[in-house]
Amino acid sequence: MAREIRLNAFAMNCVGHMSPGLWTHPRDRSSDYNRLPHWLDLARTLERGRFDGLFLADVLGVYDVYGGTADAALRHAAQVPVNDPLLLVPAMAAVTTHLGFGVTSTLSYEPPFPFARRMSTLDHLTDGRIGWNIVTGYLDSAARAAGRERQTSHDDRYDVADDYMELVYKLWEGSWDDDAVLRDRARGIFTDPAKVRRVRHDGPHFKLDAIHLAEPSPQRTPVLYQAGSSPRGRAFAGEHAECVFISGPSAKVIAPRVAALRSAVRAAGRDPESVLIFSMMTVILGHTDAEAEARHEEYRRHVSHEGALALMSGWTGVDFSTYDLDQQVRHVENDAGRTAMDNVSRADPDRVWTVREVAEHIGIGGIGPLVVGGPERVADAIEGWVEETGVDGLNLCYAVLPESFEDVVELLVPELTRRGRYKSDYQPGTLREKLFGEGRARLTAPHPAVAHRQAGF
Ligand SMILES: Cc1cc2nc3c(=O)[nH]c(=O)nc-3n(C[C@H](O)[C@H](O)[C@H](O)COP(=O)(O)O)c2cc1C
């Protein structure tokens, strides 16, 4: 049987997420992001479609590169207002049994000790269904919000991240033995102090002397996701990631990134096939190709080009308001994300992008490809994409929420299942077991986290 194709849903605790302006569509409900029923319904829908997980993006700053102000982002709700993603998780976990939750936390602005406890808490409350998308940020506005002048330079951010990871591994994996908690009512002992160790960390960026405050959770370390594709980002992923999110406009751009990522995993001494790679995609479905195409046209009328360029300016650190719409995009390198710029400047030498084309492309589903059609056409495109790129699955953006995901569940999932490319049931166990197999609730060697375990567990 051909390899299973995995699906993640990509969303954010904000309006419109990757489809700026689409919140104005009469059927879009993404502006209900601040109401819990909105998220509970979405979680139930995704579990009905046997999605592996809901991946929640996050930023800790505003997109204020475009025109030098946050006005365009605010006007078009380009990822602002944005609420905390972590706080949605327990509520969604309470109405689901299997769905995983990959939450983004920007380690540049989250002190590691309370963050490690927050993730352990979520791992407990979800019965081991939590994952962490490790990001270092790309917005100077986030650095200023944290009282800094500007963000740490691009590659140095990943050095800070390495130190952060070592510290949180020690807390999650090394502080408490599995049998430390006795809950022994007869003897009146809750925890055996001999089985809890102080963690000492004296790294280049972080220092700590403490015991982890949470008892061991089902997975201990959350499932580790990563999303940077620059050479330094890849090296970091090679070392730490269990799943990687990538994005790019075409298979031609994505395929070499997948290969480079797997090489980075090999260079870090790990099995390249042991890392699951998800690439971003948006699908617009209908019962027939014609119905889907009509829907696409209808959606397109709601795209905010200014909102799209506000996003692109934030991702790349380049003010797109200074360009003429018909000007070609040229490559610039700075301390924002590197891959977003590469996608439209040099990743595909045969494709020249104008600013207008960038705005139109990003307007529905960000920089990933957009596939429009009935279930068969879309399933064909997905099978072709997986074949050409070597990815393990897709990170599906929505155009209109929840319609886009409901269509995937009703129309695409049955088609992929019929073709033997999609699971007919969830695996039991934690998120890590669902992704990597039974008995794999915890990280295994040679992942670097394992080195921080003490003898005895
Ligand atoms: C699918 C995908 C999702 C991402 N989600 C987030 C996010 O939620 N928050 C964030 O700060 N960065 C996010 N990023 C950006 C990456 O973390 C990283 O900053 C960016 O890819 C640039 O890194 P690079 O220069 O190493 O490629 C995402 C990237 C991709 C491809």
Side-chain angles (χ1 to χ4, degrees):
M1 193 185 86
R3 223 155 38 107
E4 177 187 342
I5 297 171
R6 297 185 166 278
L7 295 184
N8 261 311
F10 192 23
M12 189 167 179
N13 197 353
C14 70
V15 180
H17 187 207
M18 285 286 173
S19 298
L22 271 284
W23 65 273
T24 59
H25 188 282
R27 290 194 301 277
D28 186 79
R29 294 286 166 270
S30 71
S31 51
D32 292 341
Y33 76 101
N34 54 350
R35 313 295 310 154
L36 216 37
H38 170 79
W39 293 102
L40 304 187
D41 287 347
L42 178 64
R44 289 188 192 101
T45 299
L46 298 175
E47 186 155 281
R48 197 153 43 83
R50 305 185 293 283
F51 275 66
D52 282 313
L54 169 61
F55 165 28
L56 290 168
D58 193 35
V59 287
L60 281 171
V62 290
Y63 288 75
D64 61 359
V65 176
Y66 184 84
T69 78
D71 291 0
L74 287 164
R75 199 175 300 121
H76 302 289
Q79 301 189 0
V80 62
V82 55
N83 282 348
D84 190 312
L86 273 63
L87 297 176
L88 298 174
V89 171
M92 290 192 285
V95 298
T96 52
T97 311
H98 296 289
L99 185 69
F101 303 98
V103 290
T104 300
S105 265
T106 315
L107 56 74
S108 304
Y109 312 113
E110 291 278 0
F113 184 67
F115 172 72
R117 182 176 68 158
R118 213 172 306 130
M119 292 309 277
S120 295
T121 306
L122 285 176
D123 200 42
H124 280 293
L125 296 180
T126 60
D127 286 327
R129 287 188 278 146
I130 196 75
W132 170 30
N133 177 34
I134 310 160
V135 304
T136 62
Y138 46 80
L139 293 167
D140 273 330
S141 65
R144 289 195 300 274
R148 305 180 197 168
E149 215 168 298
R150 66 179 67 84
Q151 58 190 325
T152 307
S153 61
H154 182 273
D155 286 7
D156 291 352
R157 290 203 294 274
Y158 286 109
D159 295 340
V160 175
D162 278 330
D163 193 28
Y164 193 105
M165 295 310 292
E166 194 178 323
L167 192 161
V168 292
Y169 290 153
K170 288 178 181 172
L171 291 168
W172 285 324
E173 301 287 340
S175 189
W176 294 59
D177 286 359
D178 273 343
D179 57 357
V181 176
L182 302 174
R183 289 183 161 75
D184 187 334
R185 288 175 195 264
R187 288 195 295 153
I189 302 174
F190 195 86
T191 301
D192 178 355
K195 296 192 168 174
V196 181
R197 272 173 297 273
R198 269 165 68 188
V199 166
R200 291 191 182 83
H201 183 80
D202 190 2
H205 304 281
F206 300 100
K207 296 191 191 331
L208 169 139
D209 179 350
I211 63 165
H212 189 37
L213 294 174
E215 66 176 276
S217 63
Q219 303 183 112
R220 286 185 177 262
T221 299
V223 174
L224 300 172
Y225 297 79
Q226 199 272 349
S229 307
S230 64
R232 184 63 185 91
R234 281 201 303 268
F236 180 85
E239 190 81 16
H240 301 280
E242 301 176 83
C243 301
V244 177
F245 294 128
I246 54 177
S247 68
S250 63
K252 188 174 172 191
V253 168
I254 290 289
R257 283 194 193 146
V258 171
L261 247 159
R262 298 217 193 268
S263 299
V265 176
R266 188 182 296 110
R270 300 163 63 209
D271 173 6
E273 297 304 320
S274 69
V275 170
L276 297 177
I277 302 179
F278 294 84
S279 68
M280 216 162 88
M281 181 181 277
T282 305
V283 297
I284 297 178
L285 283 148
H287 290 89
T288 60
D289 292 346
E291 190 180 284
E293 281 157 15
R295 234 176 216 196
H296 177 211
E297 262 180 49
E298 176 196 314
Y299 289 176
R300 194 138 299 276
R301 286 198 284 276
H302 293 268
V303 167
S304 161
H305 293 119
E306 197 181 45
L309 292 179
L311 288 177
M312 188 63 182
S313 300
W315 294 330
T316 57
V318 171
D319 181 358
F320 276 78
S321 76
T322 61
Y323 286 116
D324 186 82
L325 280 177
D326 293 312
Q327 219 170 318
Q328 285 179 10
V329 178
R330 54 186 175 81
H331 186 79
V332 177
E333 192 157 288
N334 55 32
D335 280 326
R338 297 265 159 92
T339 310
M341 178 48 88
D342 279 359
N343 277 329
V344 293
S345 59
R346 60 181 186 184
D348 176 358
D350 298 328
R351 171 88 207 255
V352 173
W353 292 74
T354 64
V355 174
R356 189 189 308 279
E357 286 167 341
V358 169
E360 271 166 15
H361 185 96
I362 284 176
I364 300 183
I367 199 63
L370 174 65
V371 180
V372 180
E376 290 190 8
R377 190 203 274 174
V378 172
D380 286 348
I382 289 176
E383 284 192 291
W385 174 269
V386 169
E387 187 64 37
E388 268 183 83
T389 59
V391 298
D392 300 283
L394 301 172
N395 196 27
L396 290 178
C397 299
Y398 63 85
V400 167
L401 192 68
E403 183 166 287
S404 296
F405 292 131
E406 285 169 349
D407 288 346
V408 169
V409 172
E410 302 306 328
L411 301 172
L412 179 62
V413 161
E415 180 62 25
L416 288 175
T417 311
R418 196 180 61 72
R419 296 181 183 202
R421 300 303 300 264
Y422 196 70
K423 60 183 168 301
S424 47
D425 218 338
Y426 280 108
Q427 294 287 320
T430 61
L431 176 58
R432 188 171 280 116
E433 285 166 296
K434 291 185 203 309
L435 295 172
F436 300 106
E438 217 180 319
R440 294 283 301 276
R442 306 260 167 96
L443 277 164
T444 49
H447 191 283
V450 176
H452 299 291
R453 284 184 197 155
Q454 309 290 328
F457 62 90

